[in-house]
Amino acid sequence: MKSIWSMNTEIEKREALIGGLKTDVAVIGAGMAGILIAYHLQKYGVQVVVLEADRIAGGETKNTTAKITSQHGLIYQNLIKNLGKEQARLYAEANERAINEYETLITKENICCHFMRLPAYLYSEKEQLCLEEEAKAAEILGISSRFCTESNLPFAIKGAVCFEHQAQFQPLEFISALSKQLTIYEKTRVLSVKGHMIYTERGDVFADHIVFATHYPIINVPGLYFMRQHQERSYVLALANAQKLDGMYYGIDKNGLSFRNFEDILLLGGSGHRTGENTMGGAYDFLRIKANEYYNGHKELAYWSAQDCIPHDSIPFIGRYSRIRPYWYVATGFKKWGMTSSMISAKIISDEITGEKNPYKELFSPQRFHYGLSHKKLVKDIGISIKGLARGHFLRKAVKCPHMGCELHWNKDEACFECPCHGSRFNDKGELLDDPAQNGIKKLPN
Ligand SMILES: Cc1cc2nc3c(=O)[nH]c(=O)nc-3n(C[C@H](O)[C@H](O)[C@H](O)COP(=O)(O)OP(=O)(O)OC[C@H]3O[C@@H](n4cnc5c(N)ncnc54)[C@H](O)[C@@H]3O)c2cc1C
């Protein structure tokens, strides 16, 4: 089903590319990241075109819950412990700045997109100490935060961390307005990229600089992003007659829930899992049980799901794609916090291309290796990929992913095939739904 944003926003259609062209920068992908990167570059006076396989914001962005926040789960105490105070402070500052930049841009461009400031809460029904520590860590790093034990939620909590002055908006109203200023070719899938040449199904593009804003990078080598992140999926219900909350909420417990309002509607999210691991189904059922428990008399208006890339060290990959392609750039690994991460990507990548200094470049650099945060998850991701590849290659009955040949699993709730290794998805006819695969399944077993 469509998200409430897609149900209520019509984004102007664009022509597909016809024939070849030459440009300073080509951005591949017109999601939140691609649109913000292209907008920033254009403001710097750079000639930029966006190439989109399908429709503007037609990827994960249309299904986000669109909280604009520096509160990314229990992250700050871990960053301080593993990377030190200065790197953790940079992460906090980059995200807090991104919230302000949305507000400045929306005001400057006079965009009506339901942008509003409000607090964000990270809560638990079981834990207290780690939330108190998170509040302290965030405060030390310059975020206005506090620990509390009371909330507006329809159940008792042990504690919550409140970050003041965060934000939320309607993402498609925002993108619809901003994209009007940009040169975008829709229905123009990029098939391959070699050096400065981009080959599409509609013509070829020569670009001095190429930005991969395709959610999951579509080129495996160089870069090796398929080894450094996996995808996780979660589910959302839009409810009428539910509750008006005093802020946005995100639960840290196993099966924790996400809450935010949009006007009188409540978005209730959760049931997250690694993509490919929902063979039994029950993700929407779980949310419906919770909705019935908390909101007597509510009405379900919509339900949908989305997924995002989870980097092995919890920090997005933003910057140069690879040392051996200094004119390629990437923005990925947003770990379900792609609103601020897209804005950070826009600043870092436009600064790189225009030769400006950026204080956050090293922290987010795809070429970094943060040892303290990295090795365990990296090893686990590689292990799962090797198992999926082996099953895909050796099991005769396996439905294989066209990306790298891993065995696909059925998602009962979404009635689609999913790859547990890298997260590609296909409908019941084998047609492509989500990257990194770029083609559908050639032959489905009978
Ligand atoms: C359930 C859920 C809730 C979320 N809620 C929040 C939230 O509250 N706050 C927050 O900050 N983040 C949230 N996120 C994360 C956020 O939605 C994503 O990080 C963000 O939308 C990703 O944007 P993107 O531009 O990178 O990707 P996309 O929006 O997927 O854009 C990528 C584009 O690239 C195009 N493309 C792919 N391959 C090609 C090709 N070969 N040629 C041309 N084009 C191509 C696709 O068609 C697509 O349009 C949530 C994620 C989930 C799963």
Side-chain angles (χ1 to χ4, degrees):
M1 196 182 181
K2 284 184 171 181
S3 69
I4 47 163
W5 324 125
S6 298
M7 283 159 70
N8 295 312
T9 317
E10 199 56 55
I11 299 182
E12 206 175 281
K13 283 196 176 136
R14 300 303 185 88
E15 296 296 323
L17 179 70
I18 305 172
L21 60 81
K22 190 174 177 305
T23 180
D24 292 346
V25 181
V27 176
I28 310 174
M32 188 59 79
I35 293 294
L36 281 174
I37 293 166
Y39 170 83
H40 274 75
L41 284 163
Q42 191 161 290
K43 287 286 157 198
Y44 272 117
V46 176
Q47 181 197 26
V48 52
V49 301
V50 183
L51 305 169
E52 167 55 49
D54 191 13
R55 295 289 328 274
I56 295 167
E60 304 310 325
T61 296
K62 68 178 182 308
N63 291 337
T64 181
T65 46
K67 299 171 180 172
I68 309 174
T69 176
S70 55
Q71 189 179 70
H72 297 178
L74 283 179
I75 186 171
Y76 291 107
Q77 50 199 307
N78 285 337
L79 288 178
I80 293 176
K81 196 167 103 205
N82 292 304
L83 297 186
K85 211 164 121 186
E86 180 52 18
Q87 296 294 306
R89 190 192 65 73
L90 284 173
Y91 187 95
E93 186 184 86
N95 279 283
E96 285 283 296
R97 275 194 185 180
I99 307 170
N100 294 337
E101 276 153 18
Y102 271 104
E103 187 164 41
T104 308
L105 192 163
I106 287 164
T107 309
K108 188 171 139 217
E109 300 289 353
N110 201 12
I111 299 175
C112 296
C113 59
H114 291 83
F115 177 90
M116 62 190 285
R117 291 279 192 169
L118 74 180
Y121 295 89
L122 202 60
Y123 73 88
S124 170
E125 293 175 71
K126 297 175 190 144
E127 308 282 343
Q128 186 163 349
L129 190 61
C130 59
L131 290 166
E132 283 182 59
E133 280 171 6
E134 187 68 10
K136 275 187 217 144
E139 189 71 31
I140 288 170
L141 301 174
I143 296 173
S144 172
S145 68
R146 64 189 162 81
F147 174 76
C148 53
T149 49
E150 307 244 308
S151 89
N152 218 212
L153 291 168
F155 46 82
I157 59 163
K158 265 279 167 73
V161 183
C162 172
F163 282 15
E164 304 288 359
H165 219 48
Q166 307 293 294
Q168 64 180 30
F169 67 164
Q170 207 281 33
L172 297 194
E173 286 176 351
F174 173 77
I175 286 200
S176 175
L178 205 63
S179 60
K180 287 199 174 103
Q181 305 186 16
L182 302 170
T183 305
I184 302 171
Y185 297 100
E186 289 188 328
K187 302 283 176 193
T188 303
R189 178 172 291 279
V190 170
L191 302 174
S192 65
V193 184
K194 299 218 163 68
H196 291 278
M197 283 306 296
I198 302 171
Y199 300 94
T200 84
E201 37 190 24
R202 306 283 184 161
D204 305 333
V205 176
F206 179 95
D208 293 333
H209 303 270
I210 299 169
V211 182
F212 293 80
T214 50
H215 185 243
Y216 200 115
I218 55 170
I219 308 270
N220 290 333
V221 182
L224 305 181
Y225 293 95
F226 67 93
M227 286 174 64
R228 302 198 267 161
Q229 57 181 6
H230 67 271
Q231 299 207 55
E232 289 185 11
R233 194 154 194 89
S234 41
Y235 300 75
V236 185
L237 302 182
L239 308 174
N241 307 327
Q243 187 185 11
K244 195 90 180 159
L245 290 162
D246 58 349
M248 306 171 286
Y249 284 84
Y250 186 83
I252 59 160
D253 303 329
K254 190 169 184 288
N255 290 327
L257 297 168
S258 158
F259 298 78
R260 74 155 273 196
N261 285 110
F262 171 64
E263 298 183 321
D264 290 338
I265 298 169
L266 180 72
L267 303 189
L268 178 68
S271 296
H273 60 81
R274 186 180 178 117
T275 303
E277 292 186 351
N278 189 32
T279 49
M280 304 300 280
Y284 288 119
D285 290 346
F286 173 76
L287 293 179
R288 286 179 183 129
I289 288 167
K290 291 291 169 189
N292 285 329
E293 188 181 330
Y294 302 139
Y295 304 119
N296 197 7
H298 73 271
K299 184 168 173 240
E300 187 178 307
L301 302 176
Y303 63 92
W304 69 89
S305 68
Q307 64 186 27
D308 211 2
C309 302
I310 314 294
H312 61 83
D313 63 1
S314 309
I315 297 177
F317 298 113
I318 303 169
R320 296 258 157 115
Y321 200 99
S322 152
R323 280 186 221 285
I324 62 169
R325 293 280 187 284
Y327 47 89
W328 287 11
Y329 307 84
V330 67
T332 188
F334 295 164
K335 51 173 184 157
K336 300 188 190 173
W337 298 111
M339 301 300 107
T340 50
S341 304
S342 290
M343 186 62 90
I344 295 170
S345 304
K347 292 294 289 176
I348 291 180
I349 292 175
S350 55
D351 282 348
E352 281 256 347
I353 290 176
T354 55
E356 296 285 322
K357 281 201 169 144
N358 186 295
Y360 314 112
K361 176 179 153 175
E362 301 301 331
L363 174 67
F364 292 94
S365 165
Q367 282 75 52
R368 89 271 172 155
F369 188 74
H370 298 311
Y371 184 77
L373 286 168
S374 296
H375 62 292
K376 273 194 197 147
K377 286 187 187 156
L378 187 62
V379 171
K380 188 177 169 208
D381 273 355
I382 292 173
I384 291 176
S385 292
I386 290 171
K387 189 174 154 205
L389 278 166
R391 289 180 67 88
H393 285 283
F394 295 117
L395 285 184
R396 267 205 309 139
K397 278 191 176 165
V399 185
K400 284 184 198 177
C401 181
H403 174 229
M404 295 183 81
C406 293
E407 181 190 28
L408 297 174
H409 294 178
W410 185 246
N411 179 334
K412 209 170 163 194
D413 287 308
E414 296 291 338
C416 68
F417 293 101
E418 295 184 347
C419 172
C421 306
H422 311 110
S424 301
R425 296 171 71 247
F426 310 86
N427 68 16
D428 55 356
K429 296 184 194 72
E431 293 158 350
L432 180 66
L433 296 174
D434 283 312
D435 52 16
Q438 293 293 304
N439 309 301
I441 304 167
K442 276 206 182 106
K443 192 167 177 286
L444 282 175
N446 296 322

